[in-house]
Amino acid sequence: ILYDISVLSVLLGEEDEIIPISYLGHDVYDALVSWCNRRPNVASHGLIPIDERNHNVIIEYHTLEDRTEKSLFPFPSLTRDQIEPILDADLIIVNFISGWDLELEAMEFMSEQVGDKLYIDLHYLIMVRALCSYPSISNAGSRLRIGCR
């Protein structure tokens, strides 16, 4: 999420507020909170420390078309209670890294509440297919601008 926060913090004004909501491993939590606190438009109160190491993904490229992605140190899914306080935001960006980043019930609730204020970054093609297989999400596909086919 650091890339998204970095770009947004430069593009948005100091009067705007970016509230990242994510679990962070104990090995990076303090550094990222400190980094957020040095930016006038980035809040750190949505960062949730956990007793595990931070999530990592290893990508091994075999050919240009063939790669293997391994997810290390997976985090628990964010819940409806954790995301509900930010649903009145002007824009919500959900960065799906693992596929279990957000509980399905929380994703369904968010899609019903925020409509076209939601941008979803899906890192794996299989996640697009899986997400689009849920009728409540697939039916909102055009509203959420998810490429459900």
Side-chain angles (χ1 to χ4, degrees), residues 8-133:
L8 287 173
S9 70
V10 172
L11 293 176
L12 298 175
E14 288 188 17
E15 70 281 357
D16 296 310
E17 184 177 37
I18 302 164
I19 307 172
I21 298 178
S22 179
Y23 290 106
L24 290 175
H26 66 83
D27 54 329
V28 300
Y29 178 79
D30 290 336
L32 191 53
V33 167
S34 175
W35 182 89
C36 290
N37 291 337
R38 290 192 307 272
R39 278 138 188 87
N41 57 358
V42 180
S44 61
H45 62 271
L47 300 175
I48 306 162
I50 58 173
D51 290 332
E52 301 171 26
R53 292 183 59 202
N54 203 58
H55 182 76
N56 288 301
V57 176
I58 296 174
I59 303 174
E60 297 173 347
Y61 287 91
H62 309 290
T63 67
L64 289 176
E65 297 82 24
D66 182 30
R67 70 180 184 203
T68 303
E69 299 185 32
K70 298 175 186 171
S71 199
L72 306 174
F73 318 119
F75 291 165
S77 301
L78 291 169
T79 66
R80 175 179 168 167
D81 289 342
Q82 291 169 311
I83 62 155
E84 198 163 7
I86 55 91
L87 295 182
D88 63 343
D90 294 328
L91 175 67
I92 296 174
I93 299 172
V94 179
N95 191 350
F96 279 104
I97 295 173
S98 64
W100 56 83
D101 311 85
L102 189 60
E103 289 180 352
L104 177 60
E105 188 270 334
M107 181 64 211
E108 290 174 333
F109 179 75
M110 184 172 20
S111 72
E112 293 166 2
Q113 298 299 310
V114 303
D116 62 358
K117 300 186 313 179
L118 181 59
Y119 172 83
I120 300 176
D121 183 0
L122 297 168
H123 286 243
Y124 300 104
L125 179 58
I126 192 70
M127 285 173 30
V128 173
R129 292 182 186 135
L131 188 61
C132 293
S133 68

